[in-house]
Amino acid sequence: MLENKIALVTGASSGLGYQFALTLAAQGAAVAVAARSTDKLAKLVAEIESRGGKAMAFAFDAADPAAPDALIAAVAERMGVPDILINNAGISLPARAHKATLDDFEQTMAVNVRAPWRLSQLCAARWIDAGTGGCIVNISSMLSTRVAKGVSLYTMSKAAIRHLTAGHALEWAKYGIRVNALCPGYIRTSINDAFWETEQGKAELAKLPRPRVGEPKDLESALLFLVDPRSQFVNGEALTVDDAQSWAI
Ligand SMILES: NC(=O)c1ccc[n+]([C@@H]2O[C@H](COP(=O)([O-])OP(=O)(O)OC[C@H]3O[C@@H](n4cnc5c(N)ncnc54)[C@H](O)[C@@H]3O)[C@@H](O)[C@H]2O)c1
Ligand SMILES: O=C(O)[C@H](O)[C@@H](O)[C@H](O)[C@H](O)CO
């Protein structure tokens, strides 16, 4: 489905991003995988290549304001301009609302909002100039329309990226650029390890409508639906994939 496409996945060294990269590569895309840890990316590249796919690793620290420009330039030079951008890198710095620090605020917004915003803008500018169109998927969360105690900065940032998705889709649809958000429920990845041990985390787990959290693979079909070239009319949407969890929390 994605032969001759180049996809860029941020935060690909673990969790959802790792799985997204495998999924896109299995569909024939050449995948640029970006994260701070290039050691972990080397393992992902080797795994994709062992399955007959194509991938290249790029060092990327989303907290650095200059990093998005450098990343897009490097991918364009080594692989070509990405056709698909998956804004997946994200952090959650749990703190009671009255204990969160200025640094927590700035880091959260830098990684979860500023970097995806800038990467989107850089890709869109190239797609508009070349007249090619393009596809962006922003990884938001079911916690973009709901909140949970202890993660108010995180939920704020996920609401921001969900709304940015719609704003970008509105302005870029006429250029054939689609921008959608994927809003997962609770999935088993390292972002949640500490959370499940907290009182709030235990309370959330106890409320799940089916007593299991998701696995990264549970998001595969939704990601493929959003990046599918046949989904041309799906734009500015936020697709929640959460096994009905958001109705229960
Ligand atoms: N796991 C869930 O339950 C869940 C639910 C909804 C949304 N999400 C979102 O999914 C995305 C992926 O998270 P995950 O669950 O796979 O967790 P994870 O911690 O395994 O992955 C996060 C990824 O982001 C990367 N990252 C963090 N800070 C970075 C930085 N400064 N520069 C570059 N990369 C950075 C990490 O290296 C890692 O690869 C996040 O945006 C998260 O908010 C996760
Ligand atoms: O659903 C989500 O978006 C994620 O799972 C987050 O909610 C984390 O669980 C939380 O930030 C604790 O780290």
Side-chain angles (χ1 to χ4, degrees):
M1 182 172 95
L2 301 175
E3 288 80 13
N4 303 318
K5 301 277 187 203
I6 299 165
L8 168 58
V9 181
T10 66
S13 57
S14 66
L16 305 188
Y18 195 100
Q19 178 61 48
F20 292 154
L22 291 176
T23 296
L24 295 168
Q27 291 297 321
V31 187
V33 291
R36 288 162 301 178
S37 160
T38 43
D39 288 355
K40 288 188 194 159
L41 291 178
K43 175 178 169 283
L44 172 58
V45 169
E47 190 170 343
I48 289 173
E49 286 175 347
S50 74
R51 297 177 188 194
K54 285 187 220 129
M56 288 182 95
F58 295 84
F60 171 64
D61 180 357
D64 172 357
D69 293 64
L71 176 62
I72 297 300
V75 175
E77 190 185 314
R78 289 172 58 198
M79 297 180 77
V81 175
D83 305 286
I84 297 168
L85 167 64
I86 312 293
N87 277 315
N88 167 76
I91 52 169
S92 178
L93 305 171
R96 307 305 303 200
H98 61 294
K99 297 273 176 72
T101 64
L102 188 57
D103 189 53
D104 291 340
F105 179 95
E106 285 174 351
Q107 265 200 67
T108 301
M109 291 304 278
V111 176
N112 294 6
V113 183
R114 186 182 65 204
W117 161 73
R118 183 66 181 151
L119 289 168
S120 300
Q121 191 183 53
L122 290 162
C123 287
R126 287 180 181 251
W127 294 333
I128 291 167
D129 279 352
T132 53
C135 174
I136 299 173
V137 178
N138 293 318
I139 308 307
S140 177
S141 170
M142 70 172 170
L143 293 179
S144 56
T145 51
R146 284 167 171 75
V147 291
K149 288 178 189 162
V151 287
S152 54
L153 293 179
Y154 177 81
T155 57
M156 170 191 70
S157 72
K158 291 297 168 181
I161 194 68
R162 182 182 178 127
H163 218 59
L164 187 69
T165 299
H168 280 170
L170 176 68
E171 288 200 42
W172 296 338
K174 68 179 173 192
Y175 302 110
I177 298 171
R178 299 188 304 109
V179 191
N180 291 292
L182 178 58
C183 303
Y186 291 125
I187 313 289
R188 191 185 315 281
T189 69
S190 57
I191 207 170
N192 282 319
D193 286 348
F195 182 62
W196 301 139
E197 301 304 319
T198 65
E199 288 310 307
Q200 177 67 18
K202 287 178 188 152
E204 296 290 308
L205 284 177
K207 285 188 280 184
L208 298 185
R210 179 182 350 209
R212 81 163 176 92
V213 296
E215 301 295 334
K217 192 99 171 136
D218 286 318
L219 301 175
E220 183 169 54
S221 60
L223 179 78
L224 290 177
F225 167 67
L226 293 176
V227 301
D228 190 329
R230 291 169 295 182
S231 300
Q232 276 307 310
F233 219 55
V234 181
N235 204 357
E237 189 51 82
L239 178 57
T240 300
V241 182
D242 71 350
D243 199 26
Q245 292 170 7
S246 49
W247 297 106
I249 63 171

